[in-house]
Amino acid sequence: MNIVRAKDYQDMSKKAAGIIASQIIMKPNCVLGLATGSTPIGAYENLVEWYQNGDLDFSKVSSVNLDEYRGITRENDQSYYYFMNKNLFGKVNIDKANTHLPDGMESDSDKACSDYNKAIEAVGGIDLQLLGLGHNGHIGFNEPSEEFVPDTHCVDLAPSTIEANKRFFASYDDVPKQAYTMGIRNIMLARKVLVVVSGEDKAAIVRDAFFGPITPKVQASVLQLHPNVTLVADEAALSLI
């Protein structure tokens, strides 16, 4: 694992964006695995700025997102489809036909998951997978469990995850309780993995995930087995290692 120490969130965002930009420049038709949440927003802002300055071209890039809430429409401002269009897709020249997210409105979970596994295979796999890190060690919506689930699946969100997402909704009751998410094998088959983490509140899970035992109770710990992982984190998030 390569650990890149950043001074603060802004520095972390710029360093992470630089790694993503390098992937696009080296392979213009690359497949990016993308993440949502508050942590990647700064990286997306940098990528948009570099595109607007003429330094990046997304026209041949394809993308697959980690997850999507189940039972929420794409038009809902809390859907991850909406998030990606607001923060990246709507601001660069990526072909929307080449962007992929699980279908949150597909009520048949087996079909939704099977279709998404096929979509990942159809684009040729993931060149660079961007990940955030949940307080409980989840990556995507792979919550602490007794096992590593390999492929895209429907997951019941942990109470801590629902609580963390509550700030984006009118009330706790409005937060979706399920999501479709890539599985651990989907993530581990990415040729490169980029993890971004910021804040002192993540220091303990950074320590546990990357320097503790490999266990499905800390899903991110499996990344210790990946041959090409880069962790970009600020000083606060790295304070316990």
Side-chain angles (χ1 to χ4, degrees):
M1 174 182 291
N2 180 33
I3 299 177
V4 178
R5 182 180 295 270
K7 181 179 179 182
D8 51 25
Y9 177 79
Q10 289 73 26
D11 189 34
M12 179 212 74
S13 298
K14 183 163 287 189
K15 284 180 165 64
I19 293 170
I20 299 169
S22 295
Q23 176 64 65
I24 296 170
I25 292 167
M26 289 188 297
K27 186 179 179 182
N29 64 338
C30 66
V31 178
L32 299 178
L34 298 176
T36 55
S38 56
T39 307
I41 289 177
Y44 293 151
E45 289 174 345
N46 279 279
L47 292 172
V48 169
E49 179 182 346
W50 296 339
Y51 162 74
Q52 292 173 342
N53 291 340
D55 298 322
L56 278 180
D57 178 13
F58 287 80
S59 63
K60 297 179 181 178
V61 171
S62 297
S63 72
V64 287
N65 260 72
L66 280 167
D67 42 33
E68 178 61 281
Y69 288 123
R70 185 183 187 192
I72 197 168
T73 67
R74 288 184 164 187
E75 293 73 30
N76 188 301
D77 63 5
Q78 295 305 318
S79 76
Y80 290 156
Y81 179 90
Y82 187 99
F83 175 99
M84 292 307 305
N85 278 279
K86 175 184 176 183
N87 290 289
L88 184 64
F89 298 159
K91 298 180 178 179
V92 298
N93 65 332
I94 196 167
D95 184 346
K96 296 288 184 65
N98 293 333
T99 64
H100 307 277
L101 291 92
D103 183 359
M105 291 305 293
E106 175 55 71
S107 59
D108 184 337
S109 60
D110 289 341
K111 183 178 187 303
C113 297
S114 176
D115 286 350
Y116 203 58
N117 286 327
K118 291 174 183 175
I120 297 170
E121 292 173 7
V123 296
I126 300 165
D127 290 303
L128 174 65
Q129 177 64 60
L130 174 65
L131 298 173
L133 179 65
H135 286 95
N136 62 6
H138 74 245
I139 47 177
F141 274 130
N142 293 283
E143 300 283 9
S145 173
E146 297 300 319
E147 62 179 343
F148 294 112
V149 180
D151 299 315
T152 306
H153 56 287
C154 182
V155 63
D156 295 324
L157 302 184
S160 61
T161 300
I162 296 171
E163 183 66 28
N165 291 339
K166 185 178 69 174
R167 66 189 188 277
F168 301 118
F169 293 85
S171 71
Y172 182 92
D173 291 338
D174 293 326
V175 183
K177 306 305 188 292
Q178 290 184 315
Y180 294 131
T181 184
M182 281 188 200
I184 295 300
R185 179 167 57 193
N186 298 129
I187 293 169
M188 291 293 283
L189 285 174
R191 297 168 188 96
K192 303 174 189 174
V193 174
L194 170 62
V195 187
V196 290
V197 191
S198 174
E200 188 176 1
D201 59 319
K202 295 287 182 73
I205 195 60
V206 167
R207 177 197 60 204
D208 294 348
F210 300 116
F211 296 91
I214 297 170
T215 168
K217 294 186 183 300
V218 181
Q219 293 274 313
S221 65
V222 74
L223 296 173
Q224 295 179 44
L225 300 175
H226 195 283
N228 193 343
V229 175
T230 298
L231 169 65
V232 181
D234 61 18
E235 292 176 353
L238 296 175
S239 60
L240 295 182
I241 64 169

